[in-house]
Structures are given as structure tokens and as C-alpha cells.
Amino acid sequence: MNQNTIKTLEYEKIKEELKLYCQSGLGKELVEALAPFKDKRAIKNRLKETSEGKNLLKKNLVPPLGGLNNIKSVIEKADKGIILEPEDIRNIGDFLRASRNTKAFMEKNLEYAPNIGAYAFSMIDCMGIEEEINRCIKGQSVSSEATKELSKIRRHIENTKEKIDKLVRDFLGSSKNKKYIQEFFISIKNGFYTIPIKAAYKNQIEGSIVEVSSTGSTAFIEPKAVSKANSELKALKAEEAIEEYQVLAYLTGIIYEKIKSINQNLELMAQYDMVFAKSRYSIALDAVEPEINEEGIIEIIEGRHPLLKEIEVVPLNFLIGKDKNTLVITGPNAGGKTVTLKTVGILSLMTQSGLHIPAKEGTRLSIFKEILTDIGDNQSIENSLSTFSSHMQNISNIIKSSTKSSLIILDEIGTGTDPREGAAIAISILEELSDKGCITVATTHYGEIKEFALEHPRFQNASVKFDKETLRPLYELVLGESGDSNAFWIIEKFDIGNKIIERAKNYIKAPTIKPPPYISDEEKSKVLKVLKEKKEVEKNKESKEAFLAQRDKIIFQRGDRVKLLEENLIGLVYSLEDKFGNIEVMVDKTIYKPHSTRVKLLGKAGELYPAGYDLDTLFKDYKERKLNHDLERGSKKALKKIRKEMQKNNRH
């Protein structure tokens, strides 16, 4: 999916919210990699999985994912032959327990969740490894029960520690040593059991000086009797470490032998974590599973933007794609038009990602190969692009990338330049996208676009409601009517001044803006004279251009042989120019509808065919096919034509 769209519609924020409902790093990794699907079957399956998980949770059937953790790095170490630490092995044991419990849970509740329950049949039982880990590892260390030898060594270690403790205490309790001792406690220094002795008597004690205090007044000495026992303890500790290593090597080995099975379980458990995260997110949003189609139909019933939780908004009711493929939304700034665009876009992305959407049952969304957006101010300082230029650069890429399987979302199309030119460009862009079969939703302030949408058969107007008292958007979309900018309401609220407001209203009513009344009569006369002369020049120029255009304009007739300049094809004119300047041209039984300015006359019908020639014979096949097609789709015009011909035949 287009990355600009992902960023603009804040898809990553949806994923961050979804991660909060994951129970492990495994699920979070899958959510991080989540992207909208484009295949209908895959989308339908993912939506169904979310619904099944939600169904289980609502029945208080919660999957036992406790103990689930990301053991990928641990498995990688085992795969490389690195001996695992007790903590790593404990984590694998916890994961295997969670896998086993989840497998049993899903198989037990298969009737409620047949799709996600089927994953459990692919999970592999590793009970043998789990039991060995539980026997050999206790907490974060190797258990004494792991081997008989380890148990024996640890008993000797405990006995030796007790022996050392007795020897040290006997030394401290001896009246003979009392005068030598600086302080009566045992201090373990670097593994040696030492007693603080007065420096003056350090040579009077049999033993090893381990350390001297910073002042030099105290020597820490390990008595000779204790030193011998401590050496025995160190030897036993070394034997213990060797035996523990053997146990860890054994456990690492049996894990390595089942590493393929563990990885398979790892993937399936990650899927379960993400599926149930989607289900919990659906419950949190009070969301539903939308119906999906591939016909470009978007019908949202009381939809809400998932990120606008703290704002009270009127739910969105939206429809496009049945017989209209372009929706033009009008209304004031800050009126909720952009929120409407983003709601339509993000709900589409969520649906194609297998997520439920915050809307009512019956909501339908289409599957799109691409969702392309132009929202916000894209001014680029680095590339020296103005707002208008940047928008046009983006829209140019959109037009090139778009197909009939594209959803196009355009915010304030044509702004940033002269309003008349901007409106004309916007209309042309929207018409081009409509001709390509795209589903397009656009916002605008331009009255020309609203008027064009009223006339075009594939366009529809819509408006957003605005609270004129509080100047707040109501986020309510009204289909079938265009909205106003409410500029005068807004400036009245901000106390711009009645004089300014009334003058502005008069300027709107006036056909031309006349000079202000505060200049002198002489200056006023000069200005009026200049304006009059300018108006006459423009009028003469327009008359001349109109005359030349009329003189040079070719009036195409039915049967004329013409060339389609853009397609480089040759055909015959089938129908005359309509009010939009388009004509129908038949090329090899296919009808094209170019603008008359994009057609070159090669031969007039009067010169190509004899007088009285029946031109209908040239188009008979097409006419019959067109009539049949119109009848099949229930065209009233076609039915009326048939009845008229039947009445005519009956009279004869």
C-alpha cells in the first residue's frame, strides 16, 4: 500500500493501539509487520478470525496465553550450538506450556471458532521436553534433582560450608585468640573466610593474610584450619559447575532436536496472540465485521474515526460506488470535511487488515488495490515547491498510479492558486479519475466544482454540518446537497466589524467591484474611465475570440470519418456533440467519447457516401447491442423507444 497514504491516514497509530492488546512480543512483531491485504479471500478470512476470537472472549472463553513470551533469540542461540542458560531454558519451558494449553483450549472450543481453531491441529506436542525442563530447572538455576551426581556434590558442599562455619566460630570463641581479634565477625573476601586481626598480631596467627585495611591497622586473615576446608569447598564448587554444564548441554540438545517443531508452534502462537489482540481491540471500539465487495461500493453506517475517542462526533453515514464514483464534499473550514475523508480512508485500511471497524452492522467496504491520498499542506522548502506545486506533484503521481481498483482521497483540491484556474484544474482532474473508474472522494470550497457535480451523471455532492453558534464542526455528512463556506457567520463571530461585512456582501452581489466611495470625484471619474475602457477592450477581445472560435469550429456530422488524436485511431462519428463538447466515435464496434477538440476530421459524410445513403447501416450492430444493454439495465428511455416503435407498427 502507498506509504504516503499509510502516513497521512495515521495507520501506524492504529497499529500502536493494537499492540497494547498483545500479550507478548511475538504478537507485537506480527502487528508491526501488519499491512493491508489486497486479496478478497485473505481479507475475508482475517475478518472472520477476528470475529471468532471476539465470539470466544464474549463467552468468557479466554485463551490460556499466560507464559507466552518471545523466545526467538533463545532458539537462534540453540540453533547455533550455544549452550543455553537456565533462564533461557525456563522461558522455553513456559512457552511450551502455553502452547500445550492453547492447543487444548482451541480444540475444545472448535465449534465456536472453527477457523482459528484449525491452527491448533498444526501445533506439535513437546510434552517430553517440557517435563525434562521442569525436572531439571527450578526458578533460574539447575535443580539438584537433575542428576544423582549433582545432588551428591551439593550435599558435600553444604556439609563443607557447615564445617567451615564451625571452624570460624570456634576461632572467634577461643579465649586464646581474643586479644588478637580486631572485630568479632566473619568477612568473606574473594571467596576466603577471613577474620579481622589487629595488625600488630598478624604474625601470631597461623593462616593466610588475604587483605589489609586502608589504614593498615587491620589484617584480614583466613585461619589455616579454615583454609584447608575452604579449598575442599572450591573443588566441590568446580565439580558442581561441570555437572550443571552437563545438564544445560543435555537440555539444549533435546531442544535443538525439536527446534523445527518449536518454531512452528512459535509462528502459530504469534498468530493467536495477534488474532486475540484484534478481537480485544474490536470489543474496545464497539466495532463490527464489515461486509466486503470488489465493486467499489462504500456504505458506512454510523461510522466513527477510531482515533477520535475523546471528541463527541455525529456518526458518519456515507455512500458511494453504486451509480456514482465521485463524491464532492463542501462546507466550511474546520467543518469536519478532512475528518470525513480520513474516516473513510482509515476504515478501508483497517478492513483490508482484518480489523473490525467502529460502525454499525450492514456497513459495506470495497477492496482496493491502492488507496491514494492528497491531504494536508505538502509545501516543500527543500524542493522549493509551493503548496499548489506540491499538491499537483502528488496528484500527478496519483493519476499515473490509479486504476479502476483505486480509492482516491483529495482534500481541498485545486487550492493554492487562482480560484478560477484552480477550479477548472480540479474539475478536469476529477473527471479524468472518474473516466478511469476510480472511486474518488474530494473536498472543495469552489462553487464551480459543486455546479459541475450537479450536472455530471457520475458525480454527487455532499456537505458537512457546522454549528454556527459555537463555530464547531458537527462532523455530520449530508449526502445529495452542497454546503456553504459560512465565511460571513465566522467573521461576524470574531467581530470583524459590520462596515467591513456589509461592504463585502455588497461586493458579492455586484457584478463587478466598483471603486470605493472615499476617493475624490475627479479621481473617481478617472478610475471609472479606465475601468470602462478596460471592460470594452476585454469585451472586444472576447467577441473576437468567440468569432474566431465559431469560424474555425468544425461541426461534426453523423458518419464523418475522423481520427482520435490521443488514441491514434480512425473511426466514424456516431452521435453529435453534447453540452459538454463530447462526441461519440465508433472504432471497430467500440464507442469512444472524446472531446471534440481531440478529434481531427478526415472526411465529411456528405463526401464519403452517396445522397440518401442510410447511415444507420454503418452502426446497426452497435445500435442493437446498445439497445439490448439499455433494456437489460432497465433504462426507461429504451423502454419508451420500444413502445413508440410498437405503436408506430400497430398503426401501419
Side-chain angles (χ1 to χ4, degrees), residues 63-69 71 90-109 117 119-134 261-262 264-266 268-269 272:
L65 298 176
L68 181 62
N69 50 63
I71 58 169
R90 177 76 272 161
N91 287 337
I92 290 177
D94 291 342
F95 169 78
L96 294 177
R97 185 186 70 255
S99 300
R100 175 172 51 81
N101 291 339
T102 301
K103 176 179 171 67
F105 171 84
M106 295 310 304
E107 289 175 350
K108 181 181 178 182
N109 296 292
Y119 290 157
F121 297 124
S122 299
M123 297 179 75
I124 299 168
D125 191 342
C126 297
M127 188 66 182
I129 300 176
E130 186 187 342
E131 289 176 344
E132 279 297 276
I133 291 173
N134 291 336
S261 299
I262 295 172
Q264 185 168 317
N265 289 353
L266 199 63
L268 293 168
M269 289 295 285
Y272 275 131

Side-chain angles (χ1 to χ4, degrees), residues 206-276:
E206 286 189 83
S208 305
I209 299 174
V210 175
E211 191 177 296
V212 177
S213 67
S214 58
T215 60
S217 61
T218 304
F220 293 91
I221 297 175
E222 183 180 58
K224 186 176 180 182
V226 173
S227 181
K228 183 179 178 184
N230 195 21
S231 295
E232 292 176 10
L233 178 62
K234 288 179 180 178
L236 288 169
K237 286 278 189 182
E239 290 179 24
E240 179 190 35
I242 292 170
E243 192 61 25
E244 285 179 347
Y245 183 85
Q246 294 295 331
V247 172
L248 296 175
Y250 161 70
L251 293 174
T252 302
I254 62 174
I255 289 169
Y256 177 80
E257 289 174 1
K258 285 282 189 178
I259 205 163
K260 187 176 179 181
S261 299
I262 295 172
N263 276 326
Q264 185 168 317
N265 289 353
L266 199 63
E267 292 175 10
L268 293 168
M269 289 295 285
Q271 285 291 341
Y272 275 131
D273 194 15
M274 183 172 72
V275 166
F276 282 100

